[in-house]
Amino acid sequence: MSSTSQLKIGDYLFHRLSQLGIKTVFGVPGDYELALLDLIGDAGVRFSGNANELIAAYAADGYGRINGAGAFVTTYGPGELSAYCGHAGAYAEFVPVVHVVGYPGVEAMKNHTLMHHTLGTGEFDMYHEMVKHISVDTAVLTDASTAAADIDRCLNKMLLESRPVYIGVPVDMSHRQIDGSGLQTPLIRTLPESEKELLDKFIDGIWPRIKHARSPIILMDGNTVRNNLTAEANKLAELTGWPYFTTCMGKGGANEELSNYSGVYGGGGSIPEVRKAVEDDSDLVLWLGSFRTDFNTGELTDFVAETKTIDLQRFFTKIAGRRFEVGIHAMLPALIRKVEQDKSVVKTTDVKCAYDPYPTPSGAHDASAALTQDYLWSALPALFRSGDIIVGETGTSAFGLAASRYPKGAIGYNQTVFGSIGYAGPSAVGAFLAAHEAKNPNVPPAGRGILVTGEGSLQLTPMCIADFLKLSLKPIIFVLNNNGYTVERLIHGPKAFYNELPVWDYRQLSTVFGPKAASKYYGPVRTRGDLDDLLKDPGFRGEDCLQLVELILGELDAPASVMLTTKAIEAFNQKHAAKESGTSLGG
């Protein structure tokens, strides 16, 4: 494109998305965005419509996790409001997503015309004001002379912060001609580099602390994954040989085939040996990208002394609680170089990790026994293989998958922080599609897509099955049917009516949402033997069509980590309920 070329604002926007490697934009068509969508194909980007805007937002989130950026389009008002839950989740979990909103015309807004999708007050900025709280930058393109700069500013901010942005395009602006020469200037896809001399001086300054540690460990957390630094974390763990742990949020990023991989740490939700190794036996914790939320720490029961922690974050590093303006993108490669230069830190530590981080549940060889959560998570790794993308839903699925061993080259994630049930299915649509489209060397070759979700979560967004079938993604879907909201029952109200769910026939979902597409149903799987037989079935392990497995589990059965965590949540809630009412739990 020449420096003098003219193009439409919508063309400029979609060409920028294409430059980010975005090949598919999700969304729901609405009248304020239809003219804009007419332009999407000109940039080599396709539109994949969804059943509703929430599903579109979740799909863009999953796409962004794999591709490095995602995008979805909604219409003004009801459309964008329906998507804000997914938008907020991407903000909470550091996922770079562009939310494009088709707006009413500029003249209508200036004249305060009473338009549909408004609140009937003649005002148009209320939704924009809302979304600012869950976006790192926003723009409504009401001025053609600044439209390109506004788009570029937002996208550069999204890449810098790895969080969502919002771009409103009025219906009478999408086809306005502007100077397109800005497309010749690449978006800024890397963080500002640290000055090498200062970085080396910083590493030299902390090196004695690392070198003289008797029992150092590495703990890889969610912000390592969100910063796309899992390869560097795995290399550091391999070079040092230090005991290597991950968290629930970091699960799916670590190479669990390393001999020093030692399990998942989640405070009081950890197996005792893991908790002891991390909290008691270590004297130095190299915490890569900590994200110490309640669900990631066993309801804040992670008692790792700050004095022994080096915590690497996107823009800074904390050493024993003291903050330094050197981020993980500079620190991890620098630490790797230093270890390669000084092999004295490669040693056997005093941390004892001679245990199985994935203990086999008792009675595992009784094929006729009812299927249990703990048996499920110990059995599923027989299915997993390198290249798989494994997505776990909030609740027992995410916690349970932490107890499953992932092969090298498999990746996975869950929404640990925001915890919106119904997220995993639509998000998996985006993630699996991005993997199949990818030519990014940082994305593994597209293997199978594996979704593990609960029936309560699936009932919120079941229309995602239509997207799997429409896009020929052919996932394996495990539906954990425990007749209600198990995690909520464990927290409070095990027999309460509000934790019940309608009874669905899951074998019919594929027929309803894609009657012309091939699919298979397996189940209901009720025993350990049933599950083992299924996992050995070569037809099931294939990739010829969507396969849905219904697993029947006990209403109050949950992974051990959930049992420990929900007890902590219940105690916390009771304590504060008693405080609010002025009563004592002992009274």
Side-chain angles (χ1 to χ4, degrees), residues 199-220:
L199 177 62
D200 290 344
K201 184 177 180 180
F202 182 69
I203 294 292
D204 289 342
I206 67 172
W207 195 246
R209 181 183 180 92
I210 294 173
K211 188 170 182 176
H212 296 129
R214 299 186 312 277
S215 308
I217 69 167
I218 297 174
L219 180 55
M220 194 196 76

Side-chain angles (χ1 to χ4, degrees), residues 156-193:
N156 280 322
K157 186 70 170 179
M158 175 190 75
L159 295 170
L160 176 67
E161 300 284 348
S162 190
R163 275 179 157 164
V165 293
Y166 172 102
I167 299 175
V169 184
V171 68
D172 53 359
M173 294 295 291
S174 60
H175 283 58
R176 291 281 298 275
Q177 294 282 337
I178 61 171
D179 178 10
S181 61
L183 293 178
Q184 302 301 315
T185 302
L187 295 168
I188 304 171
R189 305 193 66 170
T190 58
L191 295 180
E193 291 188 6

Side-chain angles (χ1 to χ4, degrees), residues 494-518:
K495 298 296 182 182
F497 68 92
Y498 46 73
N499 286 325
E500 296 174 359
L501 282 166
V503 176
W504 283 22
D505 185 351
Y506 295 97
R507 75 175 64 237
Q508 301 297 333
L509 289 184
S510 294
T511 303
V512 170
F513 291 117
K516 295 182 180 179

Side-chain angles (χ1 to χ4, degrees), residues 334-412:
L335 285 171
I336 289 170
R337 291 193 299 269
K338 190 69 175 178
V339 172
E340 290 174 332
Q341 295 167 5
D342 185 353
K343 299 291 177 55
S344 66
V345 298
V346 181
K347 58 188 177 184
T348 302
T349 79
D350 293 338
V351 176
K352 300 297 187 291
C353 295
Y355 56 83
D356 183 358
Y358 308 102
T360 302
S362 60
H365 301 296
D366 183 359
S368 63
L371 182 63
T372 62
Q373 290 268 353
D374 285 335
Y375 186 82
L376 169 63
W377 309 117
S378 68
L380 271 186
L383 173 69
F384 301 156
R385 64 191 187 207
S386 182
D388 287 345
I389 298 179
I390 305 161
V391 180
E393 180 59 91
T394 296
T396 58
S397 300
F399 282 102
L401 282 168
S404 295
R405 184 183 294 276
Y406 288 9
K408 181 181 179 180
I411 58 176

